[in-house]
Amino acid sequence: MTDYTSISVSAPLVAAFANLDLQDGAPNSEATSPAPMAVDAPEEHVIEPNQTESEQVAIISPDSMETDTPLLASDYEAMKAHVLPPLAEEPRILEDQVHTWEVQNWRSMNKKEHGPIFHAGGNPWRILLFPSGNNVADHCSIYLEHGFEANQIPEDWSCCVQFSLVLWNRNNPSLFCHHSAHHRFTKVESDWGFTRFLELRKMFNVPWDNGDRPLVENDCVNISAYVRVVEDETGVLWHNLINYDSKKETGYVGLKNQGATCYLNSLLQSLYFTNAFRKAIYSIPTEHDADIRKNSAYTLQRLFYQLQHSNTAVATNELTKSFGWETQEIFVQHDVQELMRKLMERMEEKMKGTPHEKSLPDLFSGKTKTYISCINVPYESSRIEEFWDIQLNVSGNKDLLESFQDWIQVERLDGDNQYFAGDEYKLQDANKGMIFMSFPDVLHLHLKRFLYDVQRDGMLKINDRHEFPEEFDASPYLDKDADRSEPWIYQLHGVLVHSGDSYTGHYYAFLKPEKDGWWYKFDDDKVTRATKREVFEENFGGPYKLPNGQLRPYGPRKTPLMRPNNAYMLVYFRKSRLDKILCPVTKDDAPAHLQRKFEEEYAAQEARRREREEQHLYLGVKAITEETFRKHGGTDLTNFEATQDQDPAAPKYYRVLRTSTVQELVERIAADIGQDPKRVRLWILVNRQNKTIRPDQPIMDLSPTVEETYRKAAAHRDQALRVWVEVAEEVNPDGSPVWPAYAPSPNGTAIKNDLILLFLKWFDADAQCLRGIGHIYMSKEKKVEELVPVIMKKMGWGEKLPSDEKIQMWEEIKPSMIEGLKARNTLKQAELQDGDIICFQRVHEKKSKLGLGGDKQNSEEASKPFDRYEDAREYYSYLLHKRVVRFFPHPQKCDEKTYPRFELALDGRISYDRLSEKVGEKLGVEPTHIRFYTVNAASGNPRTAVKRNNNPNQNQTLQSILIPPQYGGLSMTQRNDALFFEVLEMSLAELDFRKSIRVTLLSDGIAKEEQYDVLVHKAGNVGDLIECLIKKAKLPSEEEAGPMRVYETSHHRWTRELPRDYAVISINDYSTLVAERIPQEELEAKDNGLFIPVFSFQGEPNRAHGIPFRFLVKEGEKFADTKKRLEKRTGFKGKSFEKIKFAVVHRQHSLKPQYLNDDDILWDLLTTEADCLGMDYPDRSRSLRNGGGDLFLRG
């Protein structure tokens, strides 16, 4: 007998938040055991100090605090505040309800008991109790579950509930035990709670918690359920996202992650919802592209179209393939900002020469002014530059506005650092800084969360709190002369988030697709609605906070635990241009050819889907016909793994209904080969013990279904029914066929005589090929020699062969067993049966000493080439070891235009030298001048060079090169069907005395670089290296064009110049060598000038790229004149050179680069010999350097 009391309590809104671990749940089943309970950490009680500094603040800890009035379980209001702490998500509270179940006769209860139903939030609830535990013997188990009847639960019902279950003594309410949790209740997850709520031994007969009574007294106890129903504002609060449909819930779809492409997915979604950008991409002409799948503009159009119309998450494979990315790039996480810049550059290139050429600059490009303005005289030096995104410092700035202020801060040039304002004004006090002239409609702000750490010599992520507003006015950061005719107010529409550290992490995005709509979280393939708190507060960064406002401690020092997730890039739209940026994009905006292509693909996809759905209704039939057999040049009757589109000798394939009859199958095959169905019959093909596939017997009864016939076929190993199609050569006057064997009788049975079915193959020694001829019937009692007239007739060779020629015959038992037939033996003595294959060959008597029917052969001649086969048995051996090998020119060491790729069918037993001869013959080069490389199976790139084995006791063959013996054919890291080749300038024997050195040749400054692999004698020096390079690159000699030099670089920095007498054997194999003509000005300066290393970088000096070099600095020369010499020295011309910013980079990493103006004197700004001149410009390299992971886009 149980009683209960239900009490309804109204609830205020809760403003604080906490982080609660989700408790373990139990399904509504006796047989299921939920996971063990996770115990809540003890709660902290905090006394907030007053705001006045003069007051003394007393910090009271829970351990030292004494309370006069203990907390009572019967005081529901006090207990509610205690057991239902504020939630981290801060959802709005819809209703609070407290329900108490008075439990009696605990030890007499059933294994599973339900409490009375009560209501909260408009839904029925009840307590689920396992008095002796739910599959745990030592604990009681208590859960909260919904109270719907099984057939009354709404299909899509869900309810988000924070709850606590309290077990307490009704006689002394100060004795209680409680556990709290929160959960999203659904039709599937109908209950949630605590499997190990409390140990049974602590509940009875022993005082509870230093009290005077047990918790369960006289087998009676109360269980109170505190239920707080909260609003599910986004529809995904505490959702596990299993079987979640993004399109159905939000109207949008996500992007699939290929491995580490979350950064790409975040950027693509951001650009997609910049509608004006999407329209601009659709405007790029892609219909007539010659190689449309390698065109990144086309694949981006396809991706956007799919995001617009697909119902499921979209893959990015096509796009990344058009970038030229392989597996290694897919699993490397790159920088979002760098990717955006390169993508914008690529799309801008695609738009050149079209009416939409200015679309992207108009949308994303703004202007800045770098200036030095004199304070006391009217003199200013300035430069206007274009920008596509802005990098803002996070460290030291509390919010976005402070970061903007930091960006435009003015540096005062005075004292010893006065600015030289020309001959008229001389040295003057001046202000130096940068200011914005205009902002773009779409403003991308890159927050500098990753900085170089000098102590660690690596990148460090800044997780400091940095707030950003929903709207801000950008006009305070504009130049006084900027256009202010329209407000410069910006509204936030995108937050790209990075969660992790400087080496690992995950990207996702919060985007606002509509002007006044919801925010959505785009996390790869999942799209969910998001609250403003998720967008802003949770991505400001900084330390975690507990619900009481305190910082969450971490580690033994109790330092604040920092959030790993914070905003990394912000996307703001100009508020006055929102209608233009978020313009409607309809299906008609997409290119017509794109729509047609997707309609075709969708129709094909639907056809394949229907085919899959109906697959169980159909059965495949593979049929060998006379035509396919005649085209077959291998062993057995055909290759069942091949298809007709690959090989005309492959069996014909028919897809037929399983319920159709064999008669219907015969009619279909007859129609296909152009024969009368009456003259066609099918033989079942079976697997013999020797692993060959041959005809067994014809199908006499045509009434069974194809399915029944397939099942009766003995020991089939194929998913298809395999048959041989026989066409009757003779017919009776009534048109009925005449079958030599297995002729049907009037009673329907087959008449078997002594005739056997044989297949004939001819080995043409002159053409070096094998092909099928057809089939014949012969009596078992006939002799082998009696096959000769039949063969002569089949081949059209007349009635008699010349006197010096014979026909030799072999039986093809299996590919590795070919036995000669004795002329005098009968077919029965030769053990021939239905379906056997006879191979014959026409030979001269002098070449076959044994004559007709010889069992052994002596046809090998020492003088013949290894790949010339004189008889069929040799040729069969070749077929057994045949390998079709693809040969590719080495990508770095061989010109594909001169030596294109090709493939050869080769005997796997040929030696290395014979392999070289065959390839040399194909290429038209000396075989001794060819070097081979194995192919990496994963990347398709060259592996190691194949070394020629000179040991006569070790047999080095093509087979052992492709499949090294140690692999055994398993888990190979190299391809077994391909090799790279290189055409050498010398023989391999001579190459052993040479060292290969890779040199980067600068032919026009650093603007044009070419790589050469130069072979230098191991006893040579750098002078010899230069001579070999001149010869290989076909350069003018040093006497004609001037002396050259070679210098070493490391990490894109200049290291040292190598003397001409420096031994090449001492050059490190991993050194990066650069060769160039020595500039005339350096020759004239000799050793009297000041030389400075110059290197290129992008944004930060630690992001070096390109080729460094050494440069002559002249005393007293203004930098405007220095730049003219640098333009000539680097080879950069026009706008490419104008975009370069020059800076003095000091050795100390803590010092910022000192950017130069035209009036600066470089000589005066150099303080130590270690100072360098840096050239700041984007890295436009599109290749992987030194095995690194530089980002590139090819398509």
Side-chain angles (χ1 to χ4, degrees):
M1 182 70 181
T2 56
D3 299 325
Y4 70 95
T5 305
S6 182
I7 302 173
S8 178
V9 183
S10 61
L13 294 177
V14 181
F17 56 91
N19 289 278
L20 274 179
D21 291 331
L22 187 64
Q23 303 300 313
D24 300 299
N28 194 358
S29 164
E30 294 186 21
T32 308
S33 174
M37 177 192 69
V39 181
D40 290 342
E43 300 181 20
E44 298 190 27
H45 301 270
V46 180
I47 307 299
E48 294 288 347
N50 294 328
Q51 299 301 316
T52 54
E53 294 182 4
S54 59
E55 292 182 355
Q56 296 294 322
V57 178
I59 306 299
I60 303 173
S61 68
D63 297 332
S64 63
M65 184 172 63
E66 295 182 2
T67 58
D68 295 330
T69 56
L71 185 62
L72 301 178
S74 57
D75 185 351
Y76 296 124
E77 283 296 329
M79 279 296 294
K80 185 180 68 172
H82 178 68
V83 300
L84 298 181
L87 291 167
E89 296 84 358
E90 298 183 3
R92 186 168 70 90
I93 299 172
L94 300 178
E95 183 181 348
D96 281 352
Q97 189 71 239
V98 181
H99 165 77
T100 298
W101 177 17
E102 295 181 0
V103 180
Q104 298 181 20
N105 303 320
W106 180 285
R107 301 188 204 202
S108 302
M109 299 177 76
N110 295 323
K111 182 180 179 182
K112 176 179 178 182
E113 292 282 356
H114 288 98
I117 290 178
F118 63 97
H119 288 79
N123 297 303
W125 304 95
R126 62 186 176 185
I127 296 169
L128 172 61
L129 173 63
F130 292 83
S132 301
N134 181 16
N135 291 336
V136 286
D138 54 349
H139 286 72
C140 71
S141 307
I142 310 177
Y143 309 94
L144 177 69
E145 72 170 355
H146 69 67
F148 289 107
E149 293 296 332
N151 58 352
Q152 294 179 351
I153 310 173
E155 189 63 34
D156 296 327
W157 176 79
S158 66
C159 186
C160 295
V161 176
Q162 180 189 13
F163 67 94
S164 180
L165 299 172
V166 183
L167 187 71
W168 55 284
N169 187 307
R170 67 177 64 175
N171 298 317
N172 184 355
S174 66
L175 304 178
F176 64 86
C177 172
H178 84 282
H179 294 293
S180 303
H182 60 260
H183 181 61
R184 181 186 188 88
F185 288 86
T186 64
K187 183 178 180 180
V188 176
E189 295 185 355
S190 58
D191 54 64
W192 202 254
F194 313 96
T195 301
R196 298 178 183 274
F197 188 91
L198 184 61
E199 286 186 85
L200 295 173
R201 65 182 179 83
K202 295 181 180 180
M203 296 170 58
F204 305 95
N205 304 325
V206 295
W208 172 259
D209 196 21
N210 299 322
D212 56 353
R213 303 166 180 264
L215 195 60
V216 180
E217 190 173 11
N218 300 324
D219 250 11
C220 298
V221 72
N222 286 354
I223 304 176
S224 293
Y226 291 80
V227 178
R228 172 170 289 167
V229 180
V230 299
E231 182 182 23
D232 181 12
E233 186 181 5
T234 62
V236 290
L237 180 62
W238 307 328
H239 202 305
N240 59 22
L241 299 181
I242 296 174
N243 298 323
Y244 177 77
D245 188 336
S246 297
K247 185 76 169 185
K248 177 182 175 183
E249 301 297 335
T250 66
Y252 305 111
V253 296
L255 292 168
K256 296 177 184 177
N257 193 330
Q258 295 186 53
T261 56
C262 51
Y263 71 100
L264 172 67
N265 293 348
S266 300
L267 178 63
L268 291 173
Q269 291 281 20
S270 173
L271 294 175
Y272 170 78
F273 286 109
T274 307
N275 294 1
F277 175 78
R278 199 192 327 168
K279 267 197 168 182
I281 295 301
Y282 280 158
S283 70
I284 300 175
T286 56
E287 184 174 8
H288 303 294
D289 197 297
D291 198 355
I292 209 161
R293 286 289 176 173
K294 293 184 179 179
N295 182 350
S296 55
Y298 173 69
T299 53
L300 188 57
Q301 287 176 344
R302 286 179 59 88
L303 183 77
F304 282 177
Y305 188 88
Q306 288 173 285
L307 284 174
Q308 193 168 341
H309 299 286
S310 177
N311 291 321
T312 57
V314 178
T316 57
N317 305 64
E318 289 182 351
L319 184 67
T320 54
K321 284 180 181 177
S322 71
F323 289 166
W325 293 1
E326 297 179 355
T327 304
Q328 57 187 2
E329 286 81 36
I330 296 302
F331 287 92
V332 174
Q333 203 169 70
H334 292 288
D335 181 73
V336 170
Q337 183 203 21
E338 183 182 10
L339 173 64
M340 190 189 75
R341 287 182 176 179
K342 290 183 180 290
L343 186 61
M344 289 294 182
E345 289 173 6
R346 183 53 40 80
M347 295 303 109
E348 196 178 10
E349 288 176 10
K350 301 288 185 183
M351 289 184 177
K352 283 183 179 177
T354 71
H356 304 276
E357 186 173 358
K358 298 294 183 182
S359 296
L360 297 189
D362 291 346
L363 198 58
F364 297 104
S365 175
K367 287 185 171 55
T368 62
K369 180 174 79 170
T370 305
Y371 66 88
I372 299 180
S373 179
C374 293
I375 298 172
N376 301 315
V377 297
Y379 185 89
E380 180 179 285
S381 174
S382 64
R383 180 174 71 248
I384 305 295
E385 293 180 296
E386 190 180 74
F387 72 87
W388 287 65
D389 57 65
I390 303 170
Q391 296 188 55
L392 297 174
N393 289 323
V394 170
S395 184
N397 299 307
K398 70 176 184 180
D399 56 29
L400 190 71
L401 303 185
E402 280 196 8
S403 294
F404 266 108
Q405 202 61 48
D406 175 61
W407 200 92
I408 66 168
Q409 68 176 340
V410 178
E411 178 186 357
R412 186 71 173 263
L413 304 179
D414 55 14
D416 293 338
N417 197 29
Q418 277 189 317
Y419 174 67
F420 183 77
D423 295 333
E424 182 179 355
Y425 298 111
K426 307 297 183 185
L427 293 175
Q428 294 287 333
D429 292 345
N431 290 327
K432 179 181 180 182
M434 297 177 70
I435 195 75
F436 293 98
M437 298 300 295
S438 66
F439 291 103
D441 293 347
V442 178
L443 182 60
H444 284 101
L445 303 179
H446 171 59
L447 304 183
K448 296 170 71 174
R449 292 247 176 220
F450 296 93
L451 296 177
Y452 180 75
D453 183 19
V454 180
Q455 301 297 328
R456 300 184 182 183
D457 190 25
M459 301 303 291
L460 177 69
K461 186 181 179 186
I462 307 299
N463 287 315
D464 296 351
R465 184 177 178 86
H466 186 269
E467 299 180 7
F468 46 89
E470 189 169 7
E471 286 187 6
F472 80 97
D473 186 359
S475 58
Y477 317 112
L478 286 168
D479 186 74
K480 61 181 185 299
D481 298 327
D483 180 13
R484 285 181 167 80
S485 60
E486 192 177 333
W488 290 98
I489 297 175
Y490 281 82
Q491 187 179 88
L492 185 67
H493 275 262
V495 180
L496 274 64
V497 180
H498 178 266
S499 178
D501 56 27
S502 54
Y503 298 102
T504 60
H506 178 60
Y507 286 91
Y508 51 93
F510 291 93
L511 303 171
K512 188 179 179 183
E514 298 178 0
K515 188 175 179 180
D516 299 308
W518 274 88
W519 282 91
Y520 293 89
K521 180 181 180 181
F522 291 82
D523 190 352
D524 287 335
D525 59 340
K526 295 291 189 296
V527 185
T528 58
R529 281 195 294 182
T531 63
K532 283 193 175 183
R533 185 181 179 283
E534 290 179 87
V535 176
F536 292 91
E537 178 63 36
E538 293 187 5
N539 294 309
F540 287 159
Y544 280 109
K545 290 183 180 179
L546 294 171
N548 52 28
Q550 283 192 331
L551 302 181
R552 181 188 291 183
Y554 174 73
R557 297 186 180 181
K558 302 297 182 183
T559 55
L561 178 63
M562 303 295 284
R563 287 181 181 272
N565 56 296
N566 34 58
Y568 177 73
M569 183 179 285
L570 304 174
V571 183
Y572 281 92
F573 293 168
R574 193 173 181 182
K575 197 171 181 180
S576 59
R577 306 281 178 88
L578 279 177
D579 291 335
K580 171 190 171 186
I581 300 167
L582 295 176
C583 58
V585 183
T586 65
K587 185 177 181 179
D588 294 335
D589 290 316
H593 71 89
L594 187 69
Q595 297 184 46
R596 288 194 302 271
K597 185 66 176 176
F598 271 108
E599 288 169 1
E600 293 169 4
E601 291 178 2
Y602 178 76
Q605 183 180 351
E606 281 297 297
R608 288 193 298 270
R609 182 188 61 79
R610 287 194 300 270
E611 184 176 333
R612 285 194 304 270
E613 290 177 352
E614 299 173 356
Q615 186 67 36
H616 65 286
L617 302 175
Y618 289 86
L619 180 69
V621 177
K622 294 180 180 179
I624 302 173
T625 66
E626 288 289 305
E627 179 187 5
T628 62
F629 179 62
R630 289 193 186 101
K631 295 177 180 176
H632 183 54
T635 57
D636 225 324
L637 300 177
T638 189
N639 177 12
F640 280 101
E641 302 302 320
T643 58
Q644 280 276 306
D645 57 340
Q646 299 171 336
D647 181 3
K652 291 181 176 291
Y653 184 83
Y654 303 93
R655 184 168 177 262
V656 298
L657 282 169
R658 291 175 180 267
T659 56
S660 60
T661 64
V662 177
Q663 177 64 48
E664 291 171 332
L665 174 61
V666 170
E667 291 172 357
R668 180 171 173 184
I669 294 176
D672 185 49
I673 63 176
Q675 293 289 344
D676 183 349
K678 294 179 181 179
R679 299 181 63 178
V680 173
R681 73 174 176 178
L682 307 180
W683 288 61
I684 293 291
L685 295 173
V686 296
N687 296 301
R688 291 186 176 178
Q689 289 184 349
N690 61 11
K691 297 183 180 181
T692 60
I693 303 171
R694 303 291 172 83
D696 180 45
Q697 61 181 16
I699 303 173
M700 305 304 297
D701 186 1
L702 304 183
S703 60
T705 65
V706 175
E707 171 78 10
E708 291 169 344
T709 306
Y710 171 74
R711 294 192 182 281
K712 289 178 183 178
H716 51 73
R717 299 172 188 169
D718 202 311
Q719 296 298 316
L721 175 65
R722 299 173 304 192
V723 297
W724 173 61
V725 182
E726 181 183 10
V727 179
E729 297 179 355
E730 298 179 21
V731 294
N732 292 316
D734 61 354
S736 60
V738 176
W739 302 113
Y742 293 97
S745 64
N747 60 7
T749 59
I751 301 174
K752 181 70 174 87
N753 49 30
D754 69 340
L755 297 180
I756 58 174
L757 170 68
L758 299 174
F759 290 89
L760 299 177
K761 287 185 181 179
W762 172 42
F763 173 60
D764 185 347
D766 295 331
Q768 291 287 287
C769 70
L770 182 73
R771 65 182 179 89
I773 298 302
H775 72 280
I776 60 171
Y777 285 93
M778 287 286 288
S779 171
K780 290 182 180 180
E781 305 304 324
K782 296 283 186 179
K783 293 184 179 181
V784 171
E785 62 185 359
E786 293 182 69
L787 287 169
V788 173
V790 179
I791 292 173
M792 295 282 289
K793 183 178 178 181
K794 278 274 186 184
M795 297 299 296
W797 287 343
E799 296 183 358
K800 189 176 181 182
L801 286 172
S803 58
D804 59 345
E805 289 188 15
K806 298 291 182 182
I807 289 181
Q808 286 183 289
M809 284 177 280
W810 297 264
E811 181 191 358
E812 179 190 320
I813 300 173
K814 59 181 180 179
S816 59
M817 186 180 293
I818 313 299
E819 291 189 355
L821 293 174
K822 295 180 179 179
R824 300 289 182 180
N825 282 354
T826 64
L827 301 186
K828 185 175 182 179
Q829 290 172 330
E831 298 182 350
L832 294 175
Q833 61 180 351
D834 282 329
D836 283 350
I837 298 174
I838 305 296
C839 179
F840 63 89
Q841 176 188 356
R842 186 171 175 173
V843 297
H844 288 277
E845 192 100 53
K846 62 181 180 182
K847 290 186 179 180
S848 178
K849 302 298 183 182
L850 297 177
L852 181 63
D855 188 47
K856 295 183 181 179
Q857 302 174 45
N858 190 22
S859 58
E860 292 183 5
E861 298 177 11
S863 59
K864 78 174 183 65
F866 188 79
D867 53 356
R868 169 76 184 178
Y869 308 101
E870 295 299 336
D871 68 23
R873 179 143 47 185
E874 288 182 2
Y875 189 77
Y876 270 103
S877 180
Y878 157 70
L879 290 178
L880 186 64
H881 297 92
K882 175 183 174 182
R883 302 195 69 90
V884 178
V885 185
R886 296 181 178 182
F887 292 90
F888 303 99
H890 195 289
Q892 284 83 40
K893 302 180 179 182
C894 206
D895 182 16
E896 187 168 2
K897 293 181 180 178
T898 307
Y899 302 109
R901 61 185 64 188
F902 60 93
E903 69 177 38
L904 293 175
L906 301 170
D907 193 320
R909 300 167 296 173
I910 63 173
S911 65
Y912 183 97
D913 292 340
R914 184 58 184 151
L915 172 64
S916 299
E917 289 175 11
K918 294 292 291 183
V919 174
E921 180 183 333
K922 179 71 177 179
L923 296 173
V925 299
E926 290 292 329
T928 56
H929 288 51
I930 299 173
R931 179 161 58 177
F932 299 104
Y933 298 81
T934 55
V935 183
N936 188 299
S939 66
N941 294 324
R943 292 179 78 244
T944 55
V946 178
K947 293 184 179 179
R948 182 180 180 276
N949 192 344
N950 295 316
N951 189 342
N953 296 322
Q954 294 183 358
N955 186 22
Q956 185 184 28
T957 64
L958 173 61
Q959 177 78 7
S960 65
I961 293 172
L962 294 173
I963 307 177
Q966 61 268 27
Y967 285 110
L970 299 175
S971 303
M972 289 183 57
T973 58
Q974 71 179 52
R975 284 181 58 174
N976 59 9
D977 64 343
L979 291 170
F980 281 99
F981 65 87
E982 174 191 6
V983 178
L984 303 170
E985 300 172 358
M986 60 196 72
S987 68
L988 281 172
E990 189 179 353
L991 185 66
D992 291 339
F993 299 97
R994 303 278 177 150
K995 179 174 182 177
S996 179
I997 302 175
R998 176 165 290 186
V999 182
T1000 300
L1001 174 65
L1002 303 180
S1003 56
D1004 184 16
I1006 63 171
K1008 185 179 180 182
E1009 55 185 86
E1010 299 172 277
Q1011 285 191 339
Y1012 291 93
D1013 289 305
V1014 183
L1015 294 170
V1016 187
H1017 200 282
K1018 292 180 179 179
N1021 54 31
V1022 171
D1024 299 322
L1025 170 63
I1026 293 174
E1027 289 182 12
C1028 292
L1029 175 63
I1030 290 173
K1031 181 180 178 182
K1032 178 147 191 174
K1034 300 178 181 179
L1035 302 174
S1037 66
E1038 291 185 280
E1039 291 76 14
E1040 295 172 332
M1044 297 184 70
R1045 65 180 170 202
V1046 175
Y1047 60 90
E1048 280 185 349
T1049 71
S1050 177
H1051 298 92
H1052 308 289
R1053 299 286 190 105
W1054 189 89
T1055 306
R1056 61 170 177 165
E1057 183 177 338
L1058 298 179
R1060 294 182 71 91
D1061 59 354
Y1062 189 83
V1064 295
I1065 199 68
S1066 300
I1067 296 176
N1068 191 306
D1069 290 338
Y1070 299 99
S1071 295
T1072 302
L1073 299 185
V1074 180
E1076 65 171 355
R1077 299 279 182 189
I1078 303 176
Q1080 187 63 34
E1081 63 177 12
E1082 291 190 30
L1083 293 173
E1084 295 171 356
K1086 296 184 179 179
D1087 297 329
N1088 299 325
L1090 172 64
F1091 294 93
I1092 182 174
V1094 184
F1095 74 100
S1096 305
F1097 67 92
Q1098 180 175 336
E1100 302 286 345
N1102 61 291
R1103 297 179 65 184
H1105 62 87
I1107 301 293
F1109 60 94
R1110 202 171 63 157
F1111 182 69
L1112 175 67
V1113 181
K1114 296 183 178 180
E1115 186 174 4
E1117 181 183 56
K1118 287 187 178 182
F1119 196 67
D1121 297 323
T1122 305
K1123 284 202 301 185
K1124 294 177 182 178
R1125 293 193 296 116
L1126 279 167
E1127 183 175 8
K1128 181 179 179 182
R1129 181 74 174 84
T1130 61
F1132 291 124
K1133 309 293 182 184
K1135 289 185 177 180
S1136 297
F1137 185 79
E1138 292 173 7
K1139 291 181 180 180
I1140 299 175
K1141 294 185 287 187
F1142 294 90
V1144 174
V1145 180
H1146 302 284
R1147 182 175 185 180
Q1148 295 87 345
H1149 293 293
S1150 57
L1151 296 177
K1152 291 185 177 181
Q1154 184 178 353
Y1155 285 89
L1156 302 173
N1157 294 288
D1158 288 350
D1159 297 322
D1160 289 332
I1161 297 176
L1162 181 58
W1163 180 286
D1164 297 339
L1165 297 177
L1166 301 177
T1167 57
T1168 66
E1169 292 183 357
D1171 288 345
C1172 301
L1173 178 63
M1175 303 195 305
D1176 185 358
Y1177 63 94
D1179 178 10
R1180 302 180 187 278
S1181 172
R1182 299 178 185 172
S1183 61
L1184 293 174
R1185 299 188 297 270
N1186 303 328
D1190 294 336
L1191 182 63
F1192 65 93
L1193 308 181
R1194 287 202 185 101

